[in-house]
Amino acid sequence: METLTANSLTLGYGEKVIIDELDIEIPKGKVTVLIGSNGCGKSTLLRSMARLLQPKSGR
């Protein structure tokens, strides 16, 4: 089964880091839910996975 994977992903805007050193695997064909409080980085992660936001580091 294929997965959407991020390794050591650091994301942010300008100098502000939103997500630091995240590792995640999202399996193909499965429902995946991101849960968290406002401002914790859910939308930032989705923008990065859609390649709309360049990561500061990681892949």
Side-chain angles (χ1 to χ4, degrees):
M1 180 180 289
E2 296 177 36
T3 60
L4 182 59
T5 305
N7 297 310
S8 300
L9 194 64
T10 299
L11 303 169
Y13 302 98
E15 294 296 318
K16 183 169 179 144
V17 173
I18 306 297
I19 296 174
D20 191 27
E21 298 284 324
L22 175 72
D23 294 325
I24 187 169
E25 290 185 3
I26 300 173
K28 181 178 179 179
K30 300 288 183 178
V31 174
T32 302
V33 178
L34 299 175
I35 299 173
S37 61
N38 291 347
C40 73
K42 300 178 302 286
S43 296
T44 300
L45 175 61
L46 292 174
R47 284 186 189 103
S48 175
M49 299 296 259
R51 297 183 182 182
L52 298 174
L53 177 65
Q54 292 292 325
K56 292 183 170 289
S57 66
R59 60 184 187 104

